[in-house]
Amino acid sequence: MPIPIPDPHHALDGALKRLPLLKAAVLFIAAVCFCLCGLLYLQLEQSRRHDLALAEVSSSNLTRAMAQQAEDTFMKADLVLTSLVDWIQAEGFDAAQTPRLQKTFARRVQTLHQLHGIFLFDKRGQWAVTSFENLPRGPGVADREYFRFHQQNISSQAHIGPAIRSRENGEWIIPVSRRVNDQSGNFQGVLLVGIKMSYFDQFFKSFSIDDKGAMFLALTDGTLLARRPFVESQIGTSLAQGAIFQKHLPGATSGNAMIDSVVDGIVRLYGYRQLDAYPLVVAAASSKDAILKDWYNTAIQSSVIVALVVLGVGLFGWVFVHQVRAGERIEADLREAQKTLELIATHDSLTGLANRRLFERALEIEFGRGARRSSPLSLIMLDIDFFKRYNDTYGHVAGDHCLAEVSRALKSCCHRQADLAVRYGGEEFAVLLPDTDIHGALTIAEQIRRSVIDKNIIHSGSPSGYVTISLGCYSFVPTGYDSTEVLIKRADAALYQAKNSGRNRSAVLSMEGGVEALMRSDR
């Protein structure tokens, strides 16, 4: 059997493990694509947050302006009410005072263009004095929310009620009212200032917001007073179940929040603020789609570009991976071819045994190993008896078959991995036996000889009538002064002696007292 022959290139490959190029290529391409997508995501997310932050600042500024304007508007109306209530409670509002009060009311309305009118109602809810020249006719205002509030509450503070339609001309107004008492503090009536809904509508329109944006003014209980866009059916509805009143206002009197509108369901970024002086809440909102419109366009463009780059990288990677696979297949074929060539170069094609080239390499290695370890090295040289007659009698094809059978017998007796069976040339063979003394070599030689005989290969040209072999054995412990040629020459001398002594035998050549002695082992 062949012994392992060290190969420096093979040892180098074993020491340095080969990088799995295909896996590395796939991982690299995947990492590049992942990084591109990750960078795109981070850039887009940062841009989106930046746009939302700018929108929050804009929304906060807008609600601050709305809150200031609303507070100024209601404060002016409240000051008018305060001065007039003090006068009325001091002077009364009998028939003698009516003309004077009417003129005063009219002048105040003309001074403040946000006012719809000023109205004084007696304790039964009937019109007593208004800023209009003629008193309206009708059942009065005893059913109005603001009148019932003052009738039931002794508070002298201004009360802002839900938006109503004026019974004087049908205009939408926001009522701001105060209780009027007599000298004893008893309820005498209500003084009301109506703020035009159109005033807030015009004020809201002065701000630039998107088509889906919204602005509103509401009471702290959620009652809607004014809104942009103005939808009449929504005035007076409750926003109390909305996120601003349910979640955000209880925690902070001002802030920003992305909310689904309870009115129309549109997602908007709301800025909200509760007034300090009055129970009012203002809010301004821009739709999320409008805020992120430019961002969406940028995201689409960037995504398309990155997708094309990823596609290009993917296609390049696909081609590269296929090239790597093709290279690996070629390399595998080359390795297989190299193994085949190495086998051809080091083994005999007919018998499958090692050839002389491998034998010489192995002999050098084992010679050096034996010298370092002081271990014996044995060599058996053997030859097929009368092989030329066999070829002449049966032909070369049968001769090749005979050589193959002898080779199989030879290999069957080489049990150790280090043992090397060699076709030395023609019908001559050799067996290299490391760490084996002369007795072991002779034992193996006899096993080989008997194994060939057991094959019962017919040979009419041989005296025995079947194929036999002759073997020569030599064993010694190599030293630095010996050479491989000596081992071969002496084993070959033992073989020559065996052939000259009648063939079909094993001969051992030993060195005892400087004299060569020949020992034979017949069947």
Side-chain angles (χ1 to χ4, degrees):
M1 296 178 65
I3 64 171
I5 304 300
D7 186 345
H9 298 289
H10 181 73
L12 183 62
D13 289 343
L16 301 175
K17 292 186 178 179
R18 183 168 180 257
L19 177 68
L21 184 58
L22 181 60
K23 291 183 179 179
V26 172
L27 289 176
F28 176 75
I29 293 167
V32 169
C33 294
F34 177 78
C35 289
L36 287 173
C37 294
L39 289 174
L40 174 64
Y41 171 78
L42 291 176
Q43 187 271 331
L44 291 179
E45 182 63 18
Q46 183 179 11
S47 176
R48 187 181 73 88
R49 291 181 179 179
H50 178 71
D51 289 352
L52 289 175
L54 292 178
E56 287 180 358
V57 172
S58 177
S59 182
S60 296
N61 293 335
L62 182 55
T63 54
R64 188 178 295 111
M66 290 174 61
Q68 186 63 53
Q69 180 67 19
E71 190 165 314
D72 291 345
T73 300
F74 283 93
M75 185 175 291
K76 290 176 182 178
D78 190 16
L79 291 174
V80 170
L81 284 174
T82 301
S83 61
L84 291 176
V85 166
D86 290 343
W87 177 21
I88 292 170
Q89 289 185 153
E91 302 293 334
F93 55 93
D94 54 16
Q97 296 289 339
T98 300
R100 185 180 175 189
L101 287 174
Q102 194 277 327
K103 291 180 181 179
T104 301
F105 287 4
R107 283 197 301 271
R108 297 292 175 88
V109 171
Q110 290 174 358
T111 302
L112 299 175
H113 64 277
Q114 66 264 38
L115 299 184
H116 163 74
I118 302 176
F119 306 88
L120 176 62
F121 305 98
D122 61 21
K123 60 183 178 182
R124 297 187 305 275
Q126 296 298 317
W127 282 273
V129 182
T130 73
S131 58
F132 298 98
E133 293 183 355
N134 299 318
L135 288 177
R137 300 190 179 277
V141 296
D143 60 330
R144 293 290 199 184
E145 180 273 341
Y146 59 85
F147 188 85
R148 293 197 304 271
F149 175 84
H150 291 297
Q151 195 176 38
Q152 298 169 7
N153 294 273
I154 62 173
S155 173
S156 61
Q157 298 295 320
H159 173 70
I160 302 174
I164 58 175
R165 279 188 177 276
S166 171
R167 287 177 176 171
E168 193 279 331
N169 60 6
E171 183 179 0
W172 278 101
I173 62 172
I174 300 173
V176 184
S177 58
R178 279 182 177 268
R179 175 182 170 117
V180 178
N181 296 326
D182 59 14
Q183 297 295 331
S184 302
N186 296 317
F187 178 68
Q188 282 296 103
V190 174
L191 182 64
L192 177 135
V193 171
I195 299 177
K196 298 176 183 178
M197 180 81 71
S198 59
Y199 171 79
F200 283 102
D201 187 47
Q202 292 299 320
F203 174 67
F204 289 164
K205 288 180 179 178
S206 67
F207 294 98
S208 176
I209 60 174
D210 61 273
D211 294 339
K212 293 183 179 180
M215 305 170 74
F216 72 77
L217 171 69
L219 297 173
T220 51
D221 65 0
T223 303
L224 185 63
L225 299 179
R227 185 179 187 273
R228 174 187 174 185
F230 177 77
V231 179
E232 186 172 332
S233 61
Q234 295 175 355
I235 302 301
T237 58
S238 177
L239 305 178
Q241 298 304 313
I244 290 179
F245 292 89
Q246 286 288 319
K247 294 171 55 179
H248 302 288
L249 277 175
T253 57
S254 64
N256 294 281
M258 191 70 72
I259 299 171
D260 290 349
S261 173
V262 295
V263 176
D264 52 23
I266 296 175
V267 180
R268 298 184 177 93
L269 176 64
Y270 281 84
Y272 62 89
R273 181 175 293 272
Q274 181 175 330
L275 275 63
D276 296 328
Y278 298 98
L280 296 170
V281 175
V282 295
S286 297
S287 67
K288 183 178 179 181
D289 290 341
I291 294 171
L292 298 178
K293 181 180 179 181
D294 293 339
W295 180 84
Y296 285 134
N297 293 333
T298 302
I300 292 173
Q301 293 173 2
S302 301
S303 298
V304 169
I305 293 172
V306 171
L308 292 175
V309 173
V310 170
L311 180 61
V313 172
L315 290 175
F316 170 78
W318 181 79
V319 173
F320 181 73
V321 167
H322 275 267
Q323 290 295 327
V324 170
R325 286 179 175 174
E328 288 182 345
R329 287 194 297 268
I330 293 172
E331 185 176 356
D333 292 342
L334 288 175
R335 287 180 179 274
E336 190 65 30
Q338 183 179 5
K339 290 179 181 179
T340 303
L341 289 173
E342 185 176 354
L343 185 64
I344 293 172
T346 58
H347 288 74
D348 179 64
S349 60
L350 175 62
T351 62
L353 300 180
N355 60 15
R356 287 187 64 168
R357 180 184 179 189
L358 181 58
F359 171 67
E360 290 170 357
R361 288 168 56 187
L363 186 57
E364 290 287 346
I365 294 169
E366 297 299 345
F367 201 91
R369 184 182 292 124
R372 290 193 302 271
R373 297 180 180 179
S374 298
S375 59
L377 178 64
S378 297
L379 178 63
I380 301 174
M381 300 292 291
L382 60 105
D383 194 357
I384 300 175
D385 297 330
F386 306 109
F387 186 69
K388 185 177 183 307
R389 296 181 186 177
Y390 189 92
N391 270 338
D392 293 341
T393 303
Y394 301 103
H396 291 285
V397 174
D400 291 343
H401 178 72
C402 177
L403 290 172
E405 288 296 322
V406 172
S407 299
R408 279 192 282 272
L410 188 60
K411 285 191 287 187
S412 67
C413 298
C414 296
H415 303 293
R416 299 181 307 171
Q417 186 176 1
D419 297 342
L420 182 66
V422 181
R423 184 181 181 190
Y424 198 72
E427 71 275 16
E428 192 173 3
F429 299 86
V431 180
L432 183 62
L433 302 170
D435 297 321
T436 304
D437 59 15
I438 193 62
H439 300 290
L442 181 59
T443 300
I444 293 175
E446 282 300 296
Q447 290 178 1
I448 296 171
R449 191 176 69 84
R450 292 191 186 97
S451 179
V452 172
I453 292 173
D454 291 341
K455 292 286 185 180
N456 291 319
I457 303 173
I458 303 301
H459 185 1
S460 60
S462 173
S464 62
Y466 47 82
V467 173
T468 60
I469 58 174
S470 298
L471 304 96
C473 306
Y474 181 72
S475 177
F476 79 135
V477 177
T479 67
Y481 303 100
D482 297 316
S483 65
T484 57
E485 289 79 5
V486 173
L487 179 63
I488 297 172
K489 186 179 296 185
R490 291 178 178 175
D492 193 56
L495 172 61
Y496 180 76
Q497 198 66 37
K499 294 174 71 71
N500 286 340
S501 300
R503 293 185 173 84
N504 189 22
R505 64 192 64 208
S506 299
V508 175
L509 183 66
S510 63
M511 302 296 294
E512 295 181 356
V515 180
E516 293 187 358
L518 183 65
M519 299 185 297
R520 299 184 184 85
S521 177
D522 299 327
R523 187 181 181 191

